[in-house]
Amino acid sequence: MKNSIKVQRAIQNMTQAQLAEKAKVSRQTINAMELGKYVPSTVLSLRLSVIFKISVNELFELEEQDWVK
């Protein structure tokens, strides 16, 4: 799954640590999501969309391999 977390952070001039504090997760979690190594929960995805004031669909995008079992 692709995400635009890093881009959204840059738009809002926000560090990983600042986003982590707002989202109530660790900075390492934000880093792992940006690197595509961690898929967030629905709750965390919704929190991020509220923080960035965009829809979840604008923040996350399914890739072809996400459809493979």
Side-chain angles (χ1 to χ4, degrees):
M1 180 167 66
K2 291 183 189 178
N3 70 69
S4 62
I5 296 170
K6 188 172 185 174
V7 171
Q8 294 301 320
R9 275 195 315 100
I11 290 169
Q12 296 203 14
N13 196 29
M14 188 182 302
T15 67
Q16 287 183 342
Q18 290 168 327
L19 177 57
E21 185 176 332
K22 288 182 180 215
K24 302 189 184 312
V25 296
S26 70
R27 187 203 57 78
Q28 290 84 356
T29 298
I30 301 300
N31 185 54
M33 284 190 295
E34 288 183 357
L35 294 173
K37 295 181 178 184
Y38 177 76
V39 177
S41 68
T42 304
V43 171
L44 179 52
S45 299
L46 289 167
R47 276 190 214 150
L48 293 170
S49 73
V50 169
I51 291 166
F52 292 130
K53 298 181 176 93
I54 61 174
S55 73
V56 173
N57 287 340
E58 291 176 273
L59 194 54
F60 297 98
E61 181 183 338
L62 290 174
E63 296 178 278
E64 189 66 35
Q65 64 264 25
D66 294 322
W67 291 98
V68 178
K69 227 177 175 180

Coordinates of all heavy atoms in Angstrom, one line a residue:
M1 N 0.8 -1.2 0.0 CA 0.0 0.0 0.0 C 0.9 1.2 0.0 O 1.8 1.3 0.8 CB -0.9 0.0 1.2 CG -1.8 1.1 1.3 SD -3.1 1.0 2.6 CE -2.2 0.9 4.1
K2 N 0.6 2.2 -0.9 CA 1.3 3.4 -1.0 C 0.7 4.4 0.0 O -0.5 4.3 0.3 CB 1.2 4.0 -2.4 CG 2.0 3.3 -3.4 CD 1.9 4.0 -4.7 CE 2.4 3.2 -5.9 NZ 2.2 3.9 -7.2
N3 N 1.5 5.4 0.4 CA 0.9 6.5 1.2 C 1.6 7.8 0.9 O 2.7 7.7 0.4 CB 0.9 6.2 2.7 CG 2.3 6.2 3.3 OD1 2.9 7.2 3.4 ND2 2.8 5.0 3.7
S4 N 1.0 8.9 1.2 CA 1.6 10.2 1.0 C 1.8 10.9 2.3 O 1.8 12.1 2.4 CB 0.6 11.0 0.1 OG -0.6 11.2 0.7
I5 N 2.1 10.1 3.3 CA 2.4 10.7 4.7 C 3.5 11.7 4.6 O 3.4 12.8 5.1 CB 2.6 9.6 5.7 CG1 1.3 8.8 5.9 CG2 3.0 10.3 7.1 CD1 1.5 7.6 6.7
K6 N 4.6 11.3 4.0 CA 5.8 12.2 4.0 C 5.5 13.5 3.2 O 5.9 14.6 3.7 CB 7.0 11.4 3.3 CG 8.3 12.2 3.4 CD 9.4 11.3 2.9 CE 10.8 12.0 3.1 NZ 11.9 11.1 2.8
V7 N 4.8 13.4 2.1 CA 4.4 14.6 1.3 C 3.5 15.5 2.2 O 3.7 16.7 2.2 CB 3.7 14.1 0.0 CG1 3.1 15.3 -0.7 CG2 4.6 13.4 -0.9
Q8 N 2.5 14.9 2.8 CA 1.6 15.7 3.7 C 2.3 16.3 4.8 O 2.0 17.5 5.2 CB 0.4 14.8 4.2 CG -0.5 14.3 3.1 CD -1.1 15.4 2.3 OE1 -1.5 16.4 2.9 NE2 -1.3 15.2 1.0
R9 N 3.3 15.6 5.4 CA 4.1 16.2 6.5 C 4.8 17.4 6.0 O 4.9 18.5 6.6 CB 5.1 15.2 7.0 CG 4.6 14.3 8.1 CD 5.7 13.6 8.9 NE 6.8 13.0 8.1 CZ 8.0 13.6 7.9 NH1 8.3 14.8 8.5 NH2 8.9 13.0 7.2
A10 N 5.4 17.3 4.8 CA 6.2 18.4 4.2 C 5.3 19.6 3.9 O 5.7 20.8 4.1 CB 6.9 17.9 2.9
I11 N 4.1 19.3 3.4 CA 3.1 20.4 3.1 C 2.8 21.2 4.4 O 2.7 22.4 4.4 CB 1.8 19.9 2.5 CG1 2.1 19.4 1.0 CG2 0.7 20.9 2.5 CD1 1.0 18.5 0.4
Q12 N 2.7 20.5 5.5 CA 2.4 21.1 6.8 C 3.6 21.5 7.6 O 3.5 21.9 8.7 CB 1.4 20.2 7.5 CG 0.1 20.0 6.8 CD -1.0 19.6 7.7 OE1 -0.9 19.7 8.9 NE2 -2.1 19.2 7.1
N13 N 4.8 21.3 7.0 CA 6.1 21.6 7.7 C 6.1 20.9 9.0 O 6.4 21.6 10.0 CB 6.3 23.1 7.7 CG 7.7 23.5 8.1 OD1 8.6 22.8 7.7 ND2 7.9 24.6 8.7
M14 N 5.9 19.6 9.1 CA 5.8 18.9 10.3 C 6.8 17.8 10.3 O 7.1 17.1 9.3 CB 4.4 18.2 10.4 CG 4.0 17.6 11.6 SD 2.3 16.8 11.5 CE 1.3 18.2 11.1
T15 N 7.5 17.6 11.5 CA 8.5 16.5 11.6 C 7.8 15.2 11.9 O 6.6 15.2 12.3 CB 9.5 16.8 12.8 OG1 8.7 16.8 14.0 CG2 10.2 18.1 12.6
Q16 N 8.5 14.1 11.8 CA 7.9 12.8 12.1 C 7.5 12.8 13.6 O 6.5 12.3 14.0 CB 8.9 11.7 11.9 CG 9.1 11.3 10.4 CD 10.0 10.2 10.2 OE1 10.8 9.8 11.1 NE2 10.0 9.6 9.0
A17 N 8.4 13.4 14.4 CA 8.1 13.5 15.9 C 6.8 14.3 16.2 O 6.0 13.8 17.0 CB 9.3 14.0 16.6
Q18 N 6.6 15.4 15.5 CA 5.4 16.2 15.7 C 4.2 15.4 15.3 O 3.1 15.4 16.0 CB 5.5 17.5 14.9 CG 6.5 18.4 15.5 CD 6.8 19.6 14.6 OE1 6.8 19.5 13.4 NE2 7.1 20.8 15.2
L19 N 4.2 14.7 14.1 CA 3.1 13.9 13.7 C 2.8 12.8 14.6 O 1.7 12.5 15.0 CB 3.3 13.4 12.2 CG 2.3 12.5 11.7 CD1 0.9 13.2 11.7 CD2 2.6 12.0 10.3
A20 N 3.9 12.1 15.1 CA 3.7 11.0 16.0 C 3.0 11.5 17.3 O 2.1 10.8 17.8 CB 5.1 10.4 16.3
E21 N 3.4 12.6 17.8 CA 2.7 13.1 19.0 C 1.3 13.4 18.8 O 0.4 13.0 19.6 CB 3.4 14.4 19.4 CG 2.9 15.0 20.8 CD 3.7 16.2 21.2 OE1 4.9 16.3 20.9 OE2 3.1 17.0 21.9
K22 N 0.9 14.0 17.6 CA -0.5 14.3 17.3 C -1.3 13.0 17.1 O -2.4 13.0 17.5 CB -0.6 15.2 16.1 CG -0.1 16.6 16.3 CD -0.3 17.4 15.0 CE 0.1 18.8 15.2 NZ -0.7 19.8 14.5
A23 N -0.7 12.0 16.5 CA -1.4 10.8 16.1 C -1.3 9.8 17.3 O -1.9 8.7 17.2 CB -0.7 10.2 14.9
K24 N -0.6 10.1 18.4 CA -0.4 9.3 19.6 C 0.2 7.9 19.3 O -0.3 6.9 19.7 CB -1.8 9.1 20.2 CG -2.4 10.4 20.6 CD -3.7 10.2 21.5 CE -4.4 11.5 21.8 NZ -3.6 12.6 22.3
V25 N 1.3 8.0 18.5 CA 2.1 6.8 18.1 C 3.6 7.2 18.3 O 3.9 8.4 18.5 CB 1.8 6.3 16.7 CG1 0.4 5.8 16.6 CG2 2.1 7.3 15.7
S26 N 4.5 6.3 18.1 CA 5.9 6.6 18.2 C 6.4 7.2 16.8 O 5.8 7.0 15.8 CB 6.7 5.3 18.5 OG 6.7 4.4 17.4
R27 N 7.5 7.9 16.9 CA 8.1 8.4 15.7 C 8.5 7.2 14.8 O 8.5 7.3 13.6 CB 9.4 9.3 16.0 CG 9.9 9.9 14.8 CD 11.4 10.3 14.9 NE 12.2 9.2 15.3 CZ 12.7 8.3 14.4 NH1 12.3 8.3 13.1 NH2 13.5 7.4 14.8
Q28 N 8.9 6.1 15.4 CA 9.3 4.9 14.6 C 8.1 4.4 13.8 O 8.3 3.9 12.7 CB 9.9 3.9 15.6 CG 11.3 4.2 16.1 CD 11.2 5.1 17.4 OE1 10.1 5.5 17.8 NE2 12.3 5.4 18.0
T29 N 6.9 4.5 14.4 CA 5.7 4.1 13.6 C 5.5 4.9 12.4 O 5.3 4.4 11.3 CB 4.5 4.1 14.5 OG1 4.7 3.2 15.6 CG2 3.2 3.7 13.8
I30 N 5.7 6.2 12.6 CA 5.5 7.1 11.4 C 6.6 6.8 10.4 O 6.3 6.7 9.2 CB 5.7 8.6 11.9 CG1 4.6 9.0 12.9 CG2 5.6 9.6 10.6 CD1 3.2 8.8 12.4
N31 N 7.8 6.6 10.8 CA 8.9 6.3 9.9 C 8.6 5.0 9.1 O 8.8 4.9 7.9 CB 10.2 6.2 10.6 CG 11.4 5.9 9.7 OD1 11.6 6.7 8.8 ND2 12.2 4.9 10.0
A32 N 8.2 4.0 9.9 CA 7.9 2.7 9.2 C 6.7 2.8 8.2 O 6.8 2.2 7.1 CB 7.5 1.6 10.3
M33 N 5.7 3.6 8.5 CA 4.6 3.8 7.5 C 5.2 4.5 6.3 O 4.8 4.1 5.2 CB 3.5 4.6 8.2 CG 2.6 3.9 9.1 SD 1.2 4.8 9.6 CE 1.9 6.1 10.5
E34 N 6.0 5.5 6.5 CA 6.5 6.3 5.3 C 7.4 5.4 4.5 O 7.4 5.5 3.2 CB 7.3 7.5 5.8 CG 6.5 8.6 6.4 CD 7.3 9.8 6.8 OE1 8.5 9.8 6.7 OE2 6.6 10.8 7.2
L35 N 8.1 4.4 5.0 CA 8.9 3.5 4.3 C 8.1 2.3 3.7 O 8.7 1.5 3.0 CB 10.0 3.0 5.2 CG 11.1 4.0 5.6 CD1 12.0 3.4 6.7 CD2 11.8 4.6 4.5
G36 N 6.8 2.2 4.0 CA 6.0 1.2 3.5 C 6.2 -0.2 4.2 O 5.8 -1.2 3.8
K37 N 6.8 -0.1 5.4 CA 7.0 -1.3 6.2 C 6.0 -1.6 7.2 O 6.0 -2.6 7.9 CB 8.4 -1.2 6.9 CG 9.6 -1.1 6.0 CD 10.9 -1.0 6.7 CE 12.0 -1.0 5.7 NZ 13.3 -1.0 6.4
Y38 N 5.0 -0.7 7.4 CA 4.0 -0.9 8.4 C 2.7 -0.4 7.8 O 2.6 0.8 7.3 CB 4.3 -0.1 9.7 CG 3.3 -0.1 10.7 CD1 3.1 -1.2 11.5 CD2 2.4 1.0 11.0 CE1 2.1 -1.3 12.5 CE2 1.5 1.0 12.0 CZ 1.3 -0.2 12.7 OH 0.3 -0.2 13.7
V39 N 1.6 -1.2 7.9 CA 0.3 -0.8 7.5 C -0.5 -0.4 8.7 O -0.7 -1.3 9.6 CB -0.4 -2.0 6.7 CG1 -1.8 -1.6 6.3 CG2 0.4 -2.4 5.5
P40 N -1.0 0.8 8.8 CA -1.6 1.3 10.0 C -3.0 0.7 10.1 O -3.7 0.2 9.2 CB -1.7 2.8 9.8 CG -1.7 3.0 8.3 CD -0.9 1.9 7.8
S41 N -3.5 0.7 11.4 CA -4.9 0.3 11.7 C -5.8 1.3 11.1 O -5.5 2.4 10.7 CB -5.1 0.2 13.2 OG -5.0 1.5 13.7
T42 N -7.1 0.9 11.0 CA -8.1 1.8 10.6 C -8.2 3.0 11.4 O -8.3 4.2 10.9 CB -9.5 1.1 10.6 OG1 -9.4 -0.1 9.8 CG2 -10.6 2.0 10.1
V43 N -8.1 2.9 12.8 CA -8.1 4.0 13.7 C -7.0 5.0 13.4 O -7.2 6.2 13.3 CB -8.1 3.5 15.1 CG1 -8.0 4.7 16.1 CG2 -9.4 2.8 15.5
L44 N -5.8 4.5 13.2 CA -4.6 5.3 13.0 C -4.8 6.0 11.6 O -4.5 7.2 11.5 CB -3.3 4.5 13.1 CG -2.1 5.3 12.8 CD1 -2.0 6.6 13.6 CD2 -0.8 4.4 13.0
S45 N -5.3 5.3 10.6 CA -5.5 5.9 9.3 C -6.5 7.0 9.4 O -6.3 8.1 8.8 CB -6.0 4.8 8.3 OG -5.1 3.8 8.2
L46 N -7.5 6.9 10.1 CA -8.5 7.9 10.3 C -7.9 9.1 11.1 O -8.2 10.3 10.7 CB -9.8 7.4 11.0 CG -10.6 6.4 10.1 CD1 -11.6 5.7 11.0 CD2 -11.3 7.2 9.0
R47 N -7.2 8.8 12.1 CA -6.5 9.9 12.8 C -5.6 10.8 11.9 O -5.7 12.0 12.0 CB -5.6 9.3 14.0 CG -6.3 9.0 15.2 CD -5.2 8.7 16.3 NE -5.7 7.7 17.2 CZ -5.0 6.8 17.8 NH1 -3.7 6.8 17.6 NH2 -5.5 5.9 18.6
L48 N -4.8 10.1 11.1 CA -4.0 10.8 10.2 C -4.7 11.6 9.2 O -4.4 12.8 8.9 CB -3.0 9.8 9.4 CG -2.0 9.1 10.3 CD1 -1.3 8.0 9.6 CD2 -1.0 10.0 10.9
S49 N -5.8 11.1 8.7 CA -6.6 11.9 7.7 C -7.2 13.1 8.4 O -7.3 14.1 7.7 CB -7.7 11.0 7.1 OG -8.8 10.7 8.0
V50 N -7.6 13.0 9.6 CA -8.1 14.2 10.4 C -7.0 15.2 10.6 O -7.2 16.4 10.4 CB -8.7 13.7 11.7 CG1 -9.0 15.0 12.6 CG2 -10.0 12.9 11.5
I51 N -5.8 14.7 11.0 CA -4.7 15.6 11.2 C -4.3 16.4 9.9 O -4.1 17.6 10.0 CB -3.5 14.8 11.7 CG1 -3.7 14.3 13.1 CG2 -2.2 15.7 11.7 CD1 -2.7 13.2 13.6
F52 N -4.3 15.7 8.8 CA -3.9 16.3 7.5 C -5.1 17.0 6.8 O -4.9 17.6 5.8 CB -3.3 15.3 6.6 CG -1.9 14.8 7.0 CD1 -1.7 13.4 7.1 CD2 -0.9 15.7 7.4 CE1 -0.4 13.0 7.5 CE2 0.3 15.2 7.8 CZ 0.6 13.9 7.9
K53 N -6.3 16.7 7.3 CA -7.5 17.3 6.8 C -7.8 16.9 5.3 O -8.1 17.7 4.4 CB -7.5 18.9 6.9 CG -7.5 19.4 8.3 CD -7.5 20.9 8.3 CE -7.6 21.3 9.8 NZ -6.3 21.6 10.4
I54 N -7.5 15.6 5.1 CA -7.8 15.0 3.8 C -8.4 13.6 4.0 O -8.4 13.1 5.1 CB -6.5 14.8 2.9 CG1 -5.5 13.9 3.6 CG2 -5.9 16.2 2.6 CD1 -4.2 13.6 2.8
S55 N -9.0 13.1 3.0 CA -9.6 11.8 3.1 C -8.6 10.6 3.2 O -7.5 10.8 2.8 CB -10.6 11.5 1.9 OG -9.8 11.2 0.8
V56 N -9.0 9.6 3.8 CA -8.1 8.4 3.9 C -7.7 8.0 2.5 O -6.6 7.6 2.3 CB -8.9 7.2 4.6 CG1 -8.0 5.9 4.6 CG2 -9.1 7.6 6.1
N57 N -8.6 8.0 1.5 CA -8.3 7.6 0.1 C -7.3 8.6 -0.5 O -6.5 8.1 -1.4 CB -9.5 7.6 -0.7 CG -10.4 6.5 -0.4 OD1 -10.0 5.5 0.2 ND2 -11.7 6.6 -0.7
E58 N -7.2 9.8 0.0 CA -6.1 10.7 -0.5 C -4.8 10.4 0.1 O -3.7 10.7 -0.5 CB -6.5 12.1 -0.3 CG -7.7 12.7 -1.0 CD -8.0 14.1 -0.6 OE1 -8.8 14.2 0.3 OE2 -7.5 15.0 -1.3
L59 N -4.8 9.8 1.3 CA -3.6 9.5 2.0 C -3.0 8.1 1.7 O -1.8 8.0 1.7 CB -3.9 9.6 3.5 CG -2.7 9.7 4.5 CD1 -1.8 10.8 4.2 CD2 -3.3 9.9 5.9
F60 N -3.9 7.2 1.4 CA -3.4 5.8 1.2 C -4.0 5.3 -0.2 O -5.1 5.6 -0.5 CB -3.9 4.9 2.3 CG -3.4 5.2 3.6 CD1 -4.1 5.9 4.5 CD2 -2.1 4.8 4.0 CE1 -3.6 6.3 5.8 CE2 -1.6 5.1 5.2 CZ -2.3 5.8 6.1
E61 N -3.2 4.5 -0.9 CA -3.6 4.0 -2.1 C -3.2 2.5 -2.2 O -2.0 2.1 -2.0 CB -2.9 4.8 -3.3 CG -3.2 4.3 -4.6 CD -2.4 5.1 -5.7 OE1 -1.9 6.2 -5.4 OE2 -2.3 4.5 -6.8
L62 N -4.2 1.7 -2.6 CA -3.9 0.2 -2.7 C -3.0 0.0 -4.0 O -3.2 0.7 -5.0 CB -5.2 -0.6 -2.9 CG -6.0 -0.7 -1.6 CD1 -7.3 -1.4 -1.9 CD2 -5.3 -1.4 -0.5
E63 N -2.1 -0.9 -3.9 CA -1.3 -1.3 -5.0 C -1.8 -2.7 -5.5 O -2.6 -3.4 -4.8 CB 0.2 -1.4 -4.6 CG 0.7 -0.1 -4.2 CD 2.1 -0.2 -3.8 OE1 2.4 -0.6 -2.6 OE2 3.0 0.1 -4.6
E64 N -1.4 -3.1 -6.7 CA -1.8 -4.3 -7.3 C -1.6 -5.5 -6.4 O -2.5 -6.4 -6.2 CB -1.1 -4.6 -8.6 CG -1.6 -5.7 -9.4 CD -3.0 -5.5 -9.9 OE1 -3.4 -4.4 -10.3 OE2 -3.8 -6.5 -10.0
Q65 N -0.5 -5.6 -5.7 CA -0.2 -6.7 -4.9 C -1.1 -6.8 -3.6 O -1.2 -7.8 -2.9 CB 1.3 -6.8 -4.4 CG 1.8 -5.7 -3.6 CD 2.5 -4.6 -4.4 OE1 2.2 -4.4 -5.6 NE2 3.4 -3.8 -3.8
D66 N -1.7 -5.7 -3.3 CA -2.6 -5.7 -2.1 C -3.9 -6.5 -2.4 O -4.7 -6.8 -1.5 CB -3.0 -4.2 -1.8 CG -1.8 -3.4 -1.3 OD1 -1.0 -4.0 -0.5 OD2 -1.7 -2.2 -1.6
W67 N -4.1 -6.8 -3.7 CA -5.3 -7.5 -4.1 C -5.0 -9.0 -4.1 O -5.9 -9.8 -4.3 CB -5.8 -7.1 -5.4 CG -6.4 -5.7 -5.3 CD1 -5.8 -4.5 -5.7 CD2 -7.7 -5.3 -4.9 NE1 -6.6 -3.4 -5.4 CE2 -7.8 -3.9 -5.0 CE3 -8.8 -6.0 -4.4 CZ2 -8.9 -3.2 -4.6 CZ3 -9.9 -5.3 -4.0 CH2 -10.0 -3.9 -4.1
V68 N -3.8 -9.4 -4.1 CA -3.4 -10.8 -4.1 C -3.5 -11.4 -2.7 O -3.0 -10.8 -1.7 CB -1.9 -10.9 -4.7 CG1 -1.5 -12.4 -4.7 CG2 -1.8 -10.3 -6.0
K69 N -4.0 -12.6 -2.7 CA -4.2 -13.3 -1.4 C -2.9 -13.7 -0.8 O -1.9 -14.1 -1.4 CB -5.1 -14.5 -1.5 CG -6.1 -14.5 -0.5 CD -7.0 -15.7 -0.8 CE -8.0 -15.8 0.3 NZ -8.9 -16.9 0.2

